[in-house]
Amino acid sequence: MLKYLVLALLLAFPAHASSFEQWKLHFQQRLISQGHNPQAVSRILEQVDFDPRVIELDRKQPEGRITLVEYVEKTLHPLRIRKGRQYLEDYRGILSQVQQRYGVPPEIIVALWGKESDYGGYVGNFETLSALATLAYEGRRRDYFEGELTAAIELVQRYGWKVRDVRGSWAGAIGQCQFMPSHYAHDAVDADGDGRIDLWNSSADIFASMAQLLKDKGWQPGLEWGYRIDHPETVRLRSGYRLYQPDGPNGPSYVITPNFDVLKRWNNSGYFATAVGRLADKISQP
């Protein structure tokens, strides 16, 4: 069955092999013209391949395909909530230190961790640079993914990573907190003081880096993300608060704050931001 699926995907992109290689060559030339080391860039990009599975997954994004209710229900699985509550307690000390330094509540960090990688249980097995190159070549968000691929190439050189060993989500996110390469470059933190940043194994580095990214994106300490309301017609919105009804007036209604927008800057999806907020609320309850 898998053989036929792969064949079908390849047939869907009959000219990808030659055109992808042409795109890589042009991309390489642009990097070199910008001052990147020619030998290093060539060596790295030689190990980057087109992955049709990435394109398939990119075209199956949930918004517009399922409702917010369905999306949130999948996130708020009872086991995920129970695990979140336990981890909130297990890492209370580290999370409290992170909150004092960055102003981000522990439940938000744990909810993001749970949403992104099931608390580190699944960090993805796609070759990161190939995934990013495939998405850049596909072109729907070419500038964005070319930028992330450039950041990934710089990380490989900076940390001496092996190209094919860098693995993560189909969209190019890596580590337990699923950072895009640009986020890793700008916001990852060596919080445990061991001289290296490890977003795969160090809880201190993972949590502090997540909080640093949210702070960098504008997180406001002491401000809630939002809340659900049953009668939106009666609500009086405070300054900076808005009504959010992605499924229309007959679907669920939320009052959201600027911190909701910060969660969207982590992942540009209102569904994602709502699900993380709801999960944070659930795991913070006794």
Side-chain angles (χ1 to χ4, degrees):
M1 186 67 180
L2 179 60
K3 177 176 69 176
Y4 295 114
L5 175 60
V6 171
L7 177 60
L9 289 171
L10 290 174
L11 290 174
F13 303 94
H16 81 81
S18 60
S19 57
F20 179 70
E21 291 302 319
Q22 291 172 0
W23 171 84
K24 275 205 308 183
L25 179 59
H26 294 155
F27 179 70
Q28 176 178 319
Q29 292 170 343
R30 291 201 304 275
L31 288 184
I32 293 171
S33 71
Q34 294 165 9
H36 290 263
N37 182 284
Q39 290 76 28
V41 171
S42 176
R43 175 183 59 82
I44 291 170
L45 287 177
E46 283 176 356
Q47 303 173 70
V48 170
D49 303 312
F50 180 84
D51 188 343
R53 176 65 173 156
V54 168
I55 302 299
E56 180 188 19
L57 291 171
D58 183 48
R59 294 175 179 175
K60 290 184 177 180
Q61 290 303 285
E63 294 194 54
R65 301 176 65 92
I66 64 174
T67 67
L68 175 64
V69 171
E70 292 169 326
Y71 184 86
V72 171
E73 283 180 352
K74 289 182 178 181
T75 299
L76 300 182
H77 189 281
L79 178 59
R80 180 176 280 161
I81 294 170
R82 289 198 299 272
K83 289 168 68 175
R85 289 172 178 169
Q86 185 61 55
Y87 285 128
L88 191 65
E89 185 60 33
D90 291 346
Y91 292 102
R92 179 69 66 180
I94 296 175
L95 290 165
S96 295
Q97 293 175 12
V98 167
Q99 182 177 21
Q100 290 174 8
R101 181 170 183 178
Y102 300 100
V104 182
E107 62 270 19
I108 290 291
I109 297 296
V110 174
L112 275 167
W113 183 34
K115 178 62 178 167
E116 287 287 21
S117 68
D118 193 24
Y119 309 107
Y122 182 72
V123 297
N125 198 36
F126 286 85
E127 291 187 12
T128 296
L129 278 80
S130 291
L132 291 169
T134 298
L135 290 165
Y137 161 74
E138 186 266 346
R140 187 170 66 88
R141 299 174 64 193
R142 175 162 293 173
D143 290 346
Y144 173 74
F145 284 110
E146 285 189 346
E148 292 299 337
L149 179 57
T150 301
I153 289 171
E154 292 171 349
L155 289 173
V156 166
Q157 295 177 79
R158 181 187 307 173
Y159 295 113
W161 294 343
K162 294 182 178 180
V163 173
R164 296 194 183 277
D165 288 347
V166 184
R167 293 176 177 265
S169 76
W170 63 265
I174 54 178
Q176 289 194 34
C177 48
Q178 293 289 274
F179 268 23
M180 295 302 289
S182 63
H183 293 157
Y184 200 116
H186 297 136
D187 294 296
V189 176
D190 174 22
D192 60 15
D194 67 352
R196 62 194 185 99
I197 299 171
D198 185 352
L199 300 188
W200 284 268
N201 303 292
S202 170
S203 298
D205 290 2
I206 292 164
F207 299 153
S209 297
M210 295 169 78
Q212 170 60 37
L213 175 56
L214 290 172
K215 180 180 178 181
D216 186 46
K217 298 298 183 183
W219 186 270
Q220 298 182 31
L223 183 67
E224 59 198 335
W225 71 271
Y227 52 89
R228 184 168 177 174
I229 55 173
D230 293 327
H231 301 286
E233 67 279 1
T234 66
V235 174
R236 298 180 64 182
L237 298 173
R238 285 183 279 175
S239 176
Y241 286 50
R242 316 191 300 282
L243 191 63
Y244 179 56
Q245 297 174 302
D247 296 337
N250 295 324
S253 299
Y254 291 88
V255 171
I256 57 173
T257 78
N259 278 345
F260 178 92
D261 297 323
V262 174
L263 293 174
K264 281 191 64 179
R265 294 182 193 118
W266 177 296
N267 181 321
N268 189 25
S269 163
Y271 280 23
F272 176 89
T274 305
V276 168
R278 289 291 306 281
L279 182 58
D281 292 343
K282 291 287 187 181
I283 65 178
S284 65
Q285 296 171 358

